Amino acid sequence: IHIEKKIEELGIELPAAPLPKANYNIVCLPPGESVMYVSGHLPIKADGELMTGTLGPDNGGMSVEEGYAAARHCGLNIIATLKKQLGDLDRVEQVVKVFGIVSSHTDFKHQHLVMDGCSDVIMEVFDKPVGYHARSAIGTNTLPLNAPVEVEAIVKIKPE
């Protein structure tokens, strides 16, 4: 099934593809190569609002569910970037790896559950085997712009 049609059938609305927030390229696809490196994406909602905060409900921070939603927005932004860069999401041959960084209090130990938000939306859109990826999820004390989650990806691309 055509990926854009599947997105429509799932009722998913892709946000506008985000622009870099500093001096870097949003993706890197070296000439003649088939592996695209997607820079870290933040949880920007469809209305342009950046989600902010730190995970750790025991310390007044965000819950796992709120973090999951933030990671899902990161995934949607990555998909939007792929669409903008490739023109056709059917050119995605394999989502190889997703790397997620979760801003969290030191006693928060559920970064992996937060990152399921990104992994789940990638699987909803691309399904197995294309969307089934390797993943790392780590915690850190802070992220740019007070984002709760940042996600980067490595994606294998089909030739044009």
Side-chain angles (χ1 to χ4, degrees), residues 56-122:
D58 293 343
N59 290 307
M62 298 171 77
S63 67
V64 170
E65 294 77 18
E66 291 168 315
Y68 178 99
R72 182 176 177 87
H73 283 293
C74 292
L76 290 169
N77 280 279
I78 287 171
I79 295 166
T81 292
L82 291 171
K83 180 168 175 41
K84 181 178 180 181
Q85 295 292 318
L86 300 172
D88 181 359
L89 288 171
D90 286 324
R91 288 194 57 214
V92 173
E93 185 172 324
Q94 175 72 54
V95 178
V96 178
K97 174 136 191 215
V98 171
F99 179 68
I101 309 158
V102 179
S103 178
S104 47
H105 292 283
T106 56
D107 64 340
F108 184 78
K109 309 298 182 199
H110 302 292
Q111 291 82 2
H112 62 295
L113 299 178
V114 168
M115 278 304 300
D116 278 347
C118 181
S119 293
D120 288 352
V121 76
I122 288 171

Side-chain angles (χ1 to χ4, degrees), residues 4-151:
E4 277 89 1
K5 176 103 171 118
K6 184 173 183 185
I7 289 172
E8 184 181 316
E9 289 172 359
L10 290 169
I12 294 173
E13 180 184 344
L14 290 180
L19 298 172
K21 304 293 183 205
N23 187 18
Y24 60 91
N25 200 349
I26 201 75
V27 300
C28 181
L29 180 61
E33 297 292 324
S34 63
V35 176
M36 179 180 280
Y37 297 87
V38 181
S39 293
H41 279 57
L42 303 178
I44 301 170
K45 296 180 179 180
D47 65 5
E49 177 192 353
L50 172 65
M51 295 179 75
T52 59
T54 301
L55 275 289
D58 293 343
N59 290 307
M62 298 171 77
S63 67
V64 170
E65 294 77 18
E66 291 168 315
Y68 178 99
R72 182 176 177 87
H73 283 293
C74 292
L76 290 169
N77 280 279
I78 287 171
I79 295 166
T81 292
L82 291 171
K83 180 168 175 41
K84 181 178 180 181
Q85 295 292 318
L86 300 172
D88 181 359
L89 288 171
D90 286 324
R91 288 194 57 214
V92 173
E93 185 172 324
Q94 175 72 54
V95 178
V96 178
K97 174 136 191 215
V98 171
F99 179 68
I101 309 158
V102 179
S103 178
S104 47
H105 292 283
T106 56
D107 64 340
F108 184 78
K109 309 298 182 199
H110 302 292
Q111 291 82 2
H112 62 295
L113 299 178
V114 168
M115 278 304 300
D116 278 347
C118 181
S119 293
D120 288 352
V121 76
I122 288 171
M123 285 301 296
E124 286 172 35
V125 169
F126 293 105
D127 211 355
K128 285 184 181 180
V130 176
Y132 206 48
H133 53 272
R135 185 183 86 188
S136 296
I138 65 166
T140 189
N141 64 330
T142 188
L143 283 170
L145 305 174
N146 195 30
V149 184
E150 181 173 351
V151 182

